[in-house]
């Protein structure tokens, strides 16, 4: 019974996922538990994380002493040194301490933190990137917002606090009157995130200039039923207004990808997040643009564009990889 294990934790606005695995990260050895994110107090998240880890240990007959390291990927912004979240908008509190309360329950186990998208790029790196992609790799989540993580020259880019590659708040329309959740105007996620697509759709319906009959029929004339998913479905069915919004989303995806490639000169970009449920609509025009005429959007050689095969589990997998790479003193996370 001297087998060793690692723990991965992924903290998001909707769900917390915790996994225990042997350090070889073989598929059959990864066990996962998921709960809804509790938001009652500043310590609800750390308490829930500890409870889930103890449950996994008990259910798999693993002792605390067999755990070599814990990797935690979380929605941010996050200070990876103090293990505290700050300025957060969707976890119930702006400041949330994680490291101190979790370390109290696991005093002698190394605890490492990473911003969620920076964690996800580690997951892609270990679980699915080709060898010629690994050293210069970007992950982009397109979901409620847009976030990113970048490995450049074989090193994960952390930044001073651990929040590098906040690409969703890159300015793509400087004269925009459309305000982002962050407070700025004209951020990329204002146009291409799920929230952005929904807001733009509701505005266009209010303006009344475009035919939205197919979309309105789909939601039984109830605009509160509209999400980005319905907009993409209506666009598929030929709805004029939805097609316009989807095209706008795709255009700004091109702008955003161009900026990312100019900044990081990446071999590949892997996409994840709920918007990739409609990858059949989003991805082909992006691939065509960057294969045939990339210079309009990026001066650098264009990257390959792919979608992660692990869906919304990629962040959790990245947290496990963080724990593994830290233990192995892998220079990617140094
Ligand atoms: Zn913003």
């Amino acid at each position: 019974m001297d087998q060793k294990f690692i723990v991965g934790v992924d903290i998001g606005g909707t769900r917390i996922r915790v996994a225990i695995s042997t350090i070889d990260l073989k598929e059959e050895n990864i066990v996962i538990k998921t709960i809804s994110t509790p938001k009652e107090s500043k310590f609800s998240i750390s308490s829930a994380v500890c409870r889930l880890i103890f449950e996994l240990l008990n259910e798999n007959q693993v002792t605390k002493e067999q755990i070599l390291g814990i990797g935690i990927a979380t929605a941010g912004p996050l200070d990876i040194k103090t293990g505290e979240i700050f300025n957060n908008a969707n976890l119930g509190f702006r400041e949330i301490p994680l490291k101190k309360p979790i370390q109290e329950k696991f005093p002698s186990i190394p605890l490492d933190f990473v911003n969620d998208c920076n964690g996800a790029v580690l997951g892609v790196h270990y679980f699915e990137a080709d060898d010629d992609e690994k050293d210069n790799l970007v992950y982009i989540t397109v979901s409620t917002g847009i976030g990113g993580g970048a490995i450049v020259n074989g090193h994960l880019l952390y930044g001073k606090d651990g929040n590098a590659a906040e690409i969703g708040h890159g300015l793509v329309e400087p004269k925009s009157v459309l305000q982002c959740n962050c407070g700025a105007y004209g951020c990329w996620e204002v146009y291409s995130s799920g929230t952005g697509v929904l807001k733009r759709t509701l505005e266009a319906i209010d303006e009344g200039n475009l035919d939205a009959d197919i979309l309105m029929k789909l939601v039984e004339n109830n605009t509160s039923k509209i999400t980005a998913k319905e907009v993409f479905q209506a666009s598929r069915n030929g709805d004029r207004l939805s097609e316009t919004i989807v095209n706008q989303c795709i255009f700004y995806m091109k702008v955003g990808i161009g900026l990312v490639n100019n900044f990081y000169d990446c071999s590949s970009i892997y996409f994840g997040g709920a918007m990739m449920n409609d990858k059949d609509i989003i991805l082909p025009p992006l691939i065509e643009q960057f294969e045939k005429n990339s210079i309009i959007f990026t001066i650098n050689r264009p990257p390959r564009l792919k979608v992660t095969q692990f869906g919304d589990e990629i962040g959790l997998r990245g947290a496990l990889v963080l724990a593994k790479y830290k233990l192995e003193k892998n220079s990617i996370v140094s």
Side-chain angles (χ1 to χ4, degrees), residues 10-16 36-41 45 74-78 85-96 116-117 141 143-147 166 169 181-182 189 195:
D10 180 25
I11 300 166
T14 312
R15 270 177 285 278
I16 294 176
S36 298
T37 307
K39 297 177 182 175
E40 291 81 29
S41 86
I45 290 176
T74 176
L78 163 80
I85 294 168
F86 61 93
N87 277 341
N88 185 273
N90 56 12
L91 292 172
F93 296 86
R94 292 184 77 77
E95 269 98 52
I96 297 176
D116 50 5
C117 288
T141 188
S143 190
T144 319
I146 293 179
E166 271 291 0
H169 300 286
N181 287 335
C182 75
E189 70 174 48
T195 315

Side-chain angles (χ1 to χ4, degrees), residues 191-215:
Y191 298 96
S192 297
S193 70
T195 315
V197 164
L198 171 61
K199 277 192 185 170
R200 302 289 77 77
T201 301
L202 296 177
E203 283 167 3
I205 290 171
D206 273 351
E207 285 163 13
N209 297 330
L210 291 165
D211 188 344
D213 288 354
I214 296 171
L215 175 64

Side-chain angles (χ1 to χ4, degrees), residues 130-156:
D130 295 337
D131 283 346
D132 65 347
E133 298 173 328
K134 283 182 187 277
D135 281 351
N136 293 288
L137 183 64
V138 168
Y139 170 81
I140 298 177
T141 188
V142 190
S143 190
T144 319
I146 293 179
I151 292 172
V152 178
N153 289 352
H155 291 278
L156 177 66

Side-chain angles (χ1 to χ4, degrees), residues 168-170 179-190:
H169 300 286
Q179 192 170 23
C180 179
N181 287 335
C182 75
Y185 292 81
C187 295
W188 179 13
E189 70 174 48
V190 163

Side-chain angles (χ1 to χ4, degrees), residues 212-278:
D213 288 354
I214 296 171
L215 175 64
M216 293 312 288
K217 200 173 167 200
L218 191 69
V219 296
E220 295 162 327
N221 281 316
N222 182 353
T223 51
S224 70
K225 284 188 183 171
I226 299 176
T227 68
K229 186 180 163 197
E230 283 71 38
V231 179
F232 277 85
Q233 187 53 49
S235 165
R236 230 178 241 113
N237 298 345
D239 185 71
R240 271 290 308 284
L241 183 142
S242 300
E243 275 175 2
T244 305
I245 301 295
V246 165
N247 286 338
Q248 188 183 56
C249 162
I250 290 170
F251 172 77
Y252 285 101
M253 285 295 291
K254 294 177 183 176
V255 176
I257 291 167
L259 291 174
V260 164
N261 193 53
N262 285 347
F263 294 161
Y264 303 123
D265 195 12
C266 42
S267 303
S268 288
I269 298 175
Y270 281 70
F271 294 96
M275 292 283 279
M276 287 305 122
N277 292 332
D278 293 296

Side-chain angles (χ1 to χ4, degrees), residues 4 87-88 108 115 129 144 147 206 211 247 294-295 300 324:
K4 299 300 183 188
N87 277 341
N88 185 273
S108 55
N115 158 314
T144 319
D206 273 351
D211 188 344
N247 286 338
S294 63
I295 194 67
N300 290 335
K324 179 181 169 70

